[in-house]
Structures are given as structure tokens and as C-alpha cells.
Amino acid sequence: MNGRYDLLQRLADLRVLQPIDVELGRCLLELDPVADPALGLLAATASLAVAQGHSCLPLASLGDVLAEAAPQGMGLPVLPDLPALRTALGSSAWAAPAGADANQPLLHDLDRVWLGRYYHHERGVARVLRALATRTTEAADAQRLRSLLEPFFDLQGVADGWQAVAALTGLVSPLSVITGGPGTGKTTTVLWLLAAWIMGAIEQGQRLPRIRLAAPTGKAAARLGESLRERVKALPVPDAVRAAIPREASTLHRLLGVRPGSARFRHDAAHPLDADLVVVDEVSMVDLPLMARLLEALSPGARLVLLGDRDQLASVEAGNVLSAICAAAGDGVMSPGRARLVGQVTGVDVAGRPDASPFADAVVGLRHSHRFGADSGLGRMAARVREGDATAVCEGLRDGSFEGVDLVEEPSSRLAEVLLARHLEAFAALAKCVDPRQALEKSGTQRMLTALREGPAGSRSLNEVFEHALRQRLGIAPEQADYPGRLLLVTRNDYAMDLFNGDIGIVLPDATGSLCAWFPAIDGEVRRLALATLPEHESAYAMTIHKSQGSEFDQVTLVLPSADARVLGRELLYTGITRARRHVTVVAGLDVLERTIVRSTRRFSGLAQLLEEPAGTG
């Protein structure tokens, strides 16, 4: 064996590196016969880092990224030191200093290394966001803006007046980012923003703005559309304004126009979206490459409104765009001019500073939860988890002071028994439903959410337990794959079917008695699909917390493994807790729970730094 590949092969044998990582490293070493073997290791680990959700690899964290992929308790071989890594990057023609014109497979700044494609994704996202954040608009007329917002807000500087500030930001800024936890009114705020914007256009005799609503997944898009349809009827606006407000949202993939068999979309810089304003919900779930495609497809002069919870889990794929934007906004102190305008229009007193980041004028955090009151147990627990206060969480669970939250400390040998007792009857009742739409609504009353996919406490094992129990209860033969009431979770995107990873459906008979799959449609109805045509899917009685993003359930049973695992972190726990509207049961040992809360998930990225560069750079 060629000694230049020994380290790559050893890490592959230890199952630290995946075959695609190893092949990338080997390829660069074969292309550059005199390259230092450390170059191959850097390429392979940068590829591994992307699979872990990072968009770049800090050289000093190379060992950490490899250790993250290593089986528990396994040691790593001796790795090259930092000077050797830098030398390897600086001496190869296949690695180059990061820059707008660099096209090498590896790009670096001697502290971090990127796969070239991901550096250019970051640079493209930063360029468009900086341009939006710094784009000059017409001088703001405070009195007119106030009149547009008065139908919706109490503009007297009330304590929870940040919704008015967020709506004002959307009216005057090409880029507005509305962040906040569950129930803080993000969707309501954007509805009022749209109504005010449309009302202003009508008053000035302008054409109605073209507005597009989108979300990263089908279920998130359906929820956004449903929320708007429920609220638009009660708006205190003329019928013409109400009629112009969109009521349907699409997935981002559908918005951009999927081309079957191609990685490219129909809409790009040369064929931009026909939209004056694009609203994207659940932005924390949008990965870096998809955000890059969306921003590239914005038409000149278009506005962008992003909604999300910065404390939730980041996207499954690489990147954490929302977090980077919020980091670029700094401590929330606005520019003096924007602070004055906010005070004049909303009455909210905001600090101003001449050196404030342009993103400080674009990002508004909503602070008051209308779902979880200040004294609610769910709200207080979620806040303590977000703050990393493990002591307060564990003590509150121990003494039962978090109303609406229960702790079940059961040995793993009794886990299936405990969960079956809690959920089997409700899932079995789905088989008796006649109306698929009502069945899907009923299925949303409760769900088991897991931290892991594999293992006794993983979603795969728990689904097998419930599959077996339901078959026995309903008299379903083992060889019959589908049965009435089976909950389905799509696990692979199928653009032709308009089904996406994480979408939830149910199996029920149609009018002829034939079993079909039923999924929510973006107009609030359901659509029927033949079971044989579905993309890869599995049962959905238990879901990983990652898959549950964008969903809400009345009651959640949150299952953590009996032993610590690297995936556990406070963002994961916070996301799981906040999927519940009313009640959470945490099934976990307090020792595992404590370690989960004190650990914060890291995402390595260069985007926040690129956002801080002057407008027009790159």
C-alpha cells in the first residue's frame, strides 16, 4: 500500500471517514503526486465536516471533527500538527487562499479550510444579504407608516411592542428577519406586515405587490398557509386588501422550480422569481446551499422576510444561516436613524449607535410568548434549557414545578411498556377514521420524539414496537405492509411527487375501499396518492426530533437514550420541548438530561465573518 494513503485508510478502517471522504482525499493526492499526505486528510475531513453540518473546517478542530465521527470510546491515530496542515495547504496547487475568483477544490485562510463549493455558497449568501441590508430605500414617512400599522398594533410603546417594530422593519427594509420562540407571534406579525404593505400600495395607486410564501418542508409550508387562512378573515382591512393576501405557501424547492433529474432550479440569477416580496418561514431549517439558490433567484429590487427561531436545531444539512445573520446583528442596538423612526412610529424606545451593524436594523427578536405565559411550566422549562441552566431544569422536574411537564425515569427494559401504555390506544383509533383530513388532524394531537434513530430508545426501534402492537390489535397479517391508520414519514425528497423528507401522511381507504396514502395539501385539504408511487418512507409513531422540526403536537413524549450520546445538546432538547402546545413528558434519566442541557451544538461556519465585510465585497 502506498504510504501516502495510510492515514486515510486507517481512518476508513476505523469507520471514522466514509468512502466518499476517503475518495476525495485520495483524488487530490493522486492529482498532486508531490503533495503532503496531510492535504488528503484535510480534504477528507472537510468532506466529513460538511456531513456533520459544518460549512468549513477550522484546522485546530480537525481532531474534534474526526472524534465526533469515531465510535464511542475509540482513540484516533496521531494526526499532523497545525503547522504541518498549513504547510500542506500552502504548497499544493489544488488548495488556494479563499477568494471570489478561486476555483480550487480546497480554499483556505490558513485557519479554516472549505470545500470550494461551500465557500462560494457562503460568499454568495453573504453578498446578497449584505446588499439587501444596506440597500437604500425612499425616505420613511413616519406619520404614513404609523397610519398603516395602527389597525393592527397598539402604538403606545407597550412592553410587547416588538411585533410592531418587526412589522415596521418589514415595511422599510429590503431585508427583515423576525426571530422568536414558539407562540411569539411571528406568523401573525408577518400577516399584519403583508396587510399594511398591500394597503399602502392600494392607497398610493400602485399595482398589487407580488408576494410568495415558502418554507423548507411541505408540512411547514402547510402550517404557514393554514395559519394565514385562519387569521386573515378577522383582519380589520378592506376586502380588496384581504383578497390580495396570499393564503398558500409552497416548499422552497417548489418555489424555485425543481427540474427532474437536475440539481439546478428553473429560477436563478438569469431567470429570477416573479416576486416583489418573498417570505420564508422556519429559516433555521434552511441549509446553506438552498439559501444560496434562493438568494440567487431573487429579482432586482425584491424584498425578503425571514422567520425563525434561532435557538432551534440548525438545518440537517450544512450551514446555520439564521444564526449567522443574528450574530452579524450584534446586540440588537440599531442605527440612530432607525432607532428614531421606531420611536416615532411604534413608541418603543430603542437604543441607537452610529457604528451599529446594518443587520441590527434588519433583525427583530419577538420576546413575549402568547402560547406559553410567563409563568407556564412549558415556557419556563424551555427558557431554562435555552439558557443551559441544567440545575434549574432538573430541580424543577424533580419537584414537579414545571406545570405541563412530567418526568418519567424508567429503566430501558420497561421503555416499550411505558410508551405503549401512553400512546397505543390513540394510534389504534386512527384506523377507524373515515375522513383523511380529520385523521391527520387527530394524529397531530400526540407524538413520540426521540433523540436518536437507532438503539432501544431510537425512532426505528420504537416504531417496530408500535407496528407489532398495532398489527396484533387490528388483526393485520405480518406480510401486509400497509394497513388503515398507519402513519407515514417520508424519508427522501421526491420532487415529481411534491413530497419531501419529513412530510407526514396516513394510510386509509378511499371511496372504493382501496388503501391509499393521504398527505396534507398546501390549500389546507388533503391529496390522495397511490401507495406504490410513494418515495422511501417509514412509520411515524416515533420521529427523531430533527424530523419533527416545523411540526407541533398537543402532547409530546420526549425520549432520550439511557446513556449519553454526542448528538445530545440543549438545542435538540429545546426543539423537542417546543414541539408541544400543551404537555411534554420527558422520558430520561436526570444524569443524561443534565449533560444534554450543558452541551451546546457547534456549527463551524465562515458566514458570520463574511456578513461583516463591507457591502459590495465579493
Side-chain angles (χ1 to χ4, degrees), residues 16 45 62 89 157 171 244 281 319 352 359 380 424 426 479 510 514 575 587 601:
V16 175
T45 310
L62 179 140
L89 286 172
L171 289 177
D281 197 10
F359 291 97
R380 288 188 293 111
L424 184 61
E479 63 271 13
D510 63 10
S514 300
T575 302
V587 182
T601 305

Side-chain angles (χ1 to χ4, degrees), residues 236-318:
V237 296
D239 290 342
V241 174
R242 187 178 294 107
I245 296 173
R247 284 137 167 102
E248 294 182 4
S250 69
T251 63
L252 282 169
H253 291 85
R254 186 178 181 190
L255 173 70
L256 292 172
V258 173
R259 288 178 169 175
S262 171
R264 294 188 173 275
F265 295 105
R266 293 189 183 92
H267 293 290
D268 54 22
H271 307 88
L273 291 163
D274 182 24
D276 302 303
L277 173 66
V278 176
V279 178
V280 184
D281 197 10
E282 298 287 357
V283 176
S284 64
M285 299 169 61
V286 181
D287 60 61
L288 176 67
L290 186 55
M291 181 60 77
R293 300 301 187 203
L294 170 66
L295 296 179
E296 179 187 26
L298 290 179
S299 61
R303 294 170 177 246
L304 180 66
V305 177
L306 304 177
L307 313 176
D309 184 349
R310 65 180 298 182
D311 296 308
Q312 276 190 195
L313 281 168
S315 59
V316 175
E317 306 298 332

Side-chain angles (χ1 to χ4, degrees), residues 473-490:
R473 173 69 63 87
L474 302 173
I476 306 297
E479 63 271 13
Q480 183 176 336
D482 292 294
Y483 50 87
R486 184 190 179 197
L487 282 177
L488 302 176
L489 176 71
V490 175

